[in-house]
Amino acid sequence: MNALQKPKISAYSVVAFFCAALVVVLIAYPLVRMLWNTVLGGNLQQGLSVVMQPWFGQVFLNTAIVVGISTAFAVAIGGSLAWINQRTDAGMGAVGGLMPIIPLLIPNVAMSIGWVFIAAPRVGFLNGWLATLPDWMSFQVNIYSWAGMIFIYTINGVPYVYLIAAAAFRNMDPALEEASRINGAGIWRTFWKVSLPSVKPALVSSALLLTITSIGIYSIPAVIGTTAKIDVLTTRIVYLLNREFPPRMPEAQMIGVIILILVGVLWWVQGRWAGKGQFATVGGRATGGGKLEMGRWKWPARTLTLIYLACTSILPLAALAVVALQPFWSPRINPAIFSLNNFNQALFVNGMAVSSIRNSLFYSSIGALIAMGIAVVIAIYTAERKNLFGKGLDTAIKSSAAIPNLILGVGFLIAFAGAPFYLSGTAMILILAFVVMYISPGSIAATSAITQIGRDLREAARINGASEGRMVRRVILPLAMPGFIGGWAIVFVHMMGDLSAAALLAGITNPVVGFAILSIWEAGTFGVLAAFSMMLCLINIFVIAAMFGLGRLIAKR
């Protein structure tokens, strides 16, 4: 080829660029509008007044306490579970590896409501059982408390830590631990002195991700914090926009800007820390090797995994099921009075509940399809081009993970609800918000699916004269389709259980599941709420099972 001839730009490159550009615009435009309105739009003085409000300092402190303590606990628990399952003989194989991430399939709002039914004062099932104990043994627990709120935040955050820490432990050189044991160190000394330092970067990264995620959570404080009178930044934003009349938009925008600044500072600190390289590195021979023998600690370690699964999945779902079958919420469980009336109310009588399920199924299906379509296009492009442009596209598609969902929701409300788009309360604004908020896990799933395809297969297709489009259709899509389907299911589950977009962008005329849950919760019809939440969990479990089953069926063909 002539040295002066310009390299040919393929049609696929153009498509990949426009997909990434669309996502960047949908992320940047709302945030820029929010910053512009706050700083340069004449609302700066009114926005700054929020910092001088008597409640602001307490709300900020509440957020720091809940997020800080729960993140520390989640890192400790998630890191321990990852070490148990990946590096010791206390792991339970594939089952043990799946257990800590099962809660990701259950919306955190459903888990929070389940624990309300378990540990609410006087009427919670746990308190009902404790009341039957002798006086000298009897006590009560209260989910509507600091301890209760931190507990829910913690168990919600463990899967995020586990996924990152498990990958780090899995790639760790086992020779490091073996050398420690040969030199006489016990199991716990090896854990503290060798295993943990080796994955310290992963634990710090997981703590950063979890902190950002926890700052932006609305569902847990909406269910637990409002009754406990523990106000955090996200509940205050929603209060200013939905509970004040007229809505106090400048103050809500300023809180959103403050959260964005906090997130930026966290990323800067993490970057500076990682750049210093002051942590143990993994080297030596390839991964594999024997697992550490736990001895008498083997079954206590396995019990920790089972307790976590019970706290995040089994107990909340059981509580939801019981309340859904009771005619009224009572700590006394009497199967003789169980009925399906609450399910009938949620499915056929409560008009908003029925509409919200129908809308959420449609919006989540379309949103997940769009998000995965864009994620697949970018993942294929970056897999074929290991250059700076490819890395830039990959970073762009995953950048929404660095921004709390509620802040994105505020940005969408400011940018698209009014002039010149007038999308307030429409399906379009909800689907676009869903795509931006939850495209990141879809991108991760798409990238993972493509990396499982050997590069030699792709190169063989090109050697045989296949164009890029033909290679994608005939090689990549058939082999990676099970992973893409799994990614669609994960994105769908996230969208179905969303409360961040629902709280700000949905309405009575166009409700989604999150909006309906908040409305039913405020109305106090707990039986219908339990039935509705149980249906949401069952829908998610069915979709996950069906999609992964479909993926396995395709993989066998």
Side-chain angles (χ1 to χ4, degrees):
M1 183 177 71
N2 192 321
L4 297 178
Q5 184 178 348
K6 293 183 179 180
K8 185 178 180 180
I9 299 176
S10 68
Y12 194 87
S13 299
V14 175
V15 172
F17 172 78
F18 277 106
C19 285
L22 175 63
V23 175
V24 170
V25 169
L26 288 176
I27 295 172
Y29 176 67
L31 297 181
V32 170
R33 278 287 302 268
M34 184 171 68
L35 290 169
W36 179 273
N37 287 359
T38 302
V39 179
L40 301 175
N43 296 317
L44 181 59
Q45 184 174 358
Q46 188 177 355
L48 287 174
S49 67
V50 75
V51 182
M52 307 304 297
Q53 295 294 326
W55 50 260
F56 180 79
Q58 187 62 56
V59 170
F60 190 90
L61 180 62
N62 291 348
T63 305
I65 291 173
V66 171
V67 172
I69 296 177
S70 64
T71 297
F73 284 148
V75 170
I77 296 171
S80 299
L81 291 175
W83 177 71
I84 289 170
N85 284 314
Q86 299 296 330
R87 299 300 315 137
T88 76
D89 64 350
M92 292 180 281
V95 175
L98 286 174
M99 279 185 182
I101 62 174
I102 286 176
L104 289 176
L105 308 181
I106 301 173
N108 49 27
V109 63
M111 181 178 65
S112 303
I113 293 170
W115 270 101
V116 166
F117 294 147
I118 293 171
R122 297 184 302 278
V123 292
F125 296 124
L126 178 58
N127 286 321
W129 175 75
L130 291 172
T132 64
L133 299 176
D135 290 342
W136 62 276
M137 293 178 60
S138 181
F139 64 95
Q140 295 280 289
V141 295
N142 185 5
I143 195 67
Y144 299 126
S145 63
W146 279 101
M149 193 158 165
I150 290 172
F151 171 72
I152 300 299
Y153 265 84
T154 297
I155 60 177
N156 177 73
V158 167
Y160 297 95
V161 178
Y162 178 86
L163 287 172
I164 297 174
F169 278 121
R170 190 162 49 246
N171 294 326
M172 178 183 168
D173 185 354
L176 300 173
E177 293 172 326
E178 291 173 8
S180 174
R181 298 304 303 275
I182 290 172
N183 283 279
I187 184 72
W188 297 115
R189 183 173 178 83
T190 299
F191 174 69
W192 284 108
K193 296 296 185 179
V194 177
S195 303
L196 276 185
S198 296
V199 298
K200 189 176 180 180
L203 293 177
V204 172
S205 296
S206 67
L208 171 68
L209 173 63
L210 182 56
T211 300
I212 293 171
T213 302
S214 298
I215 288 174
I217 286 178
Y218 174 66
S219 55
I220 297 174
V223 173
I224 307 294
T226 50
T227 304
K229 301 190 184 310
I230 302 174
D231 202 4
V232 295
L233 291 174
T234 50
T235 52
R236 180 58 63 165
I237 288 175
V238 176
Y239 178 84
L240 291 172
L241 294 175
N242 288 353
R243 298 291 185 270
E244 292 280 351
F245 186 81
R248 294 164 62 180
M249 182 65 76
E251 290 93 330
Q253 290 177 160
M254 179 56 68
I255 296 177
V257 171
I258 291 171
I259 292 177
L260 279 178
I261 294 172
L262 285 174
V263 169
V265 169
L266 288 171
W267 280 113
W268 178 81
V269 170
Q270 193 272 344
R272 293 273 302 198
W273 179 87
K276 293 179 180 179
Q278 296 177 344
F279 44 80
T281 57
V282 178
R285 70 182 204 225
T287 58
K291 300 291 185 72
L292 294 175
E293 295 182 1
M294 294 287 285
R296 69 177 184 274
W297 294 102
K298 181 175 181 178
W299 280 104
R302 286 184 172 178
T303 301
L304 175 63
T305 304
L306 295 173
I307 289 174
Y308 172 74
L309 179 65
C311 289
T312 56
S313 305
I314 299 173
L315 293 177
L317 287 178
L320 288 174
V322 172
V323 175
L325 294 171
Q326 290 180 323
F328 53 88
W329 178 18
S330 168
R332 297 184 60 185
I333 302 175
N334 181 9
I337 62 173
F338 284 179
S339 74
L340 298 176
N341 181 60
N342 289 319
F343 287 97
N344 178 65
Q345 291 283 329
L347 276 173
F348 304 110
V349 178
N350 190 313
M352 183 175 63
V354 175
S355 298
S356 68
I357 291 178
R358 183 176 60 249
N359 290 341
S360 286
L361 284 171
F362 178 71
Y363 299 160
S364 299
S365 299
I366 298 300
L369 187 62
I370 295 172
M372 279 307 298
I374 295 174
V376 168
V377 169
I378 301 300
I380 293 173
Y381 182 87
T382 55
E384 292 298 309
R385 297 165 179 81
K386 302 294 184 181
N387 52 29
L388 185 61
F389 183 68
K391 292 180 180 178
L393 292 183
D394 186 59
T395 300
I397 209 73
K398 293 181 171 69
S399 60
S400 63
I403 306 167
N405 284 346
L406 191 72
I407 304 308
L408 287 171
V410 173
F412 266 75
L413 183 67
I414 296 168
F416 299 115
F421 299 101
Y422 300 105
L423 296 178
S424 177
T426 64
M428 179 67 74
I429 195 171
L430 283 165
I431 292 174
L432 290 177
F434 283 166
V435 169
V436 170
M437 290 177 180
Y438 301 112
I439 194 172
S440 182
S443 176
I444 294 171
T447 302
S448 176
I450 292 174
T451 55
Q452 300 301 314
I453 302 174
R455 191 171 184 85
D456 55 337
L457 292 176
R458 304 197 297 268
E459 291 176 352
R462 287 187 168 180
I463 291 172
N464 283 277
S467 64
E468 188 169 29
R470 185 178 179 85
M471 180 191 64
V472 169
R473 293 193 306 271
R474 295 300 181 89
V475 178
I476 294 180
L477 287 181
L479 294 176
M481 187 57 69
F484 296 159
I485 292 174
W488 180 92
I490 292 171
V491 175
F492 174 89
V493 167
H494 278 83
M495 292 179 177
M496 278 294 293
D498 172 84
L499 249 72
S500 300
L504 297 176
L505 304 178
I508 297 177
T509 59
N510 194 30
V512 290
V513 163
F515 182 86
I517 285 177
L518 291 175
S519 300
I520 298 171
W521 169 262
E522 292 172 357
T525 51
F526 296 112
V528 175
L529 176 65
F532 190 77
S533 301
M534 194 69 192
M535 286 161 44
L536 173 61
C537 293
L538 292 176
I539 289 172
N540 286 346
I541 292 171
F542 172 78
V543 168
I544 287 286
M547 291 300 102
F548 276 90
L550 177 61
R552 293 190 65 178
L553 184 63
I554 292 175
K556 291 179 180 180
R557 294 179 59 182

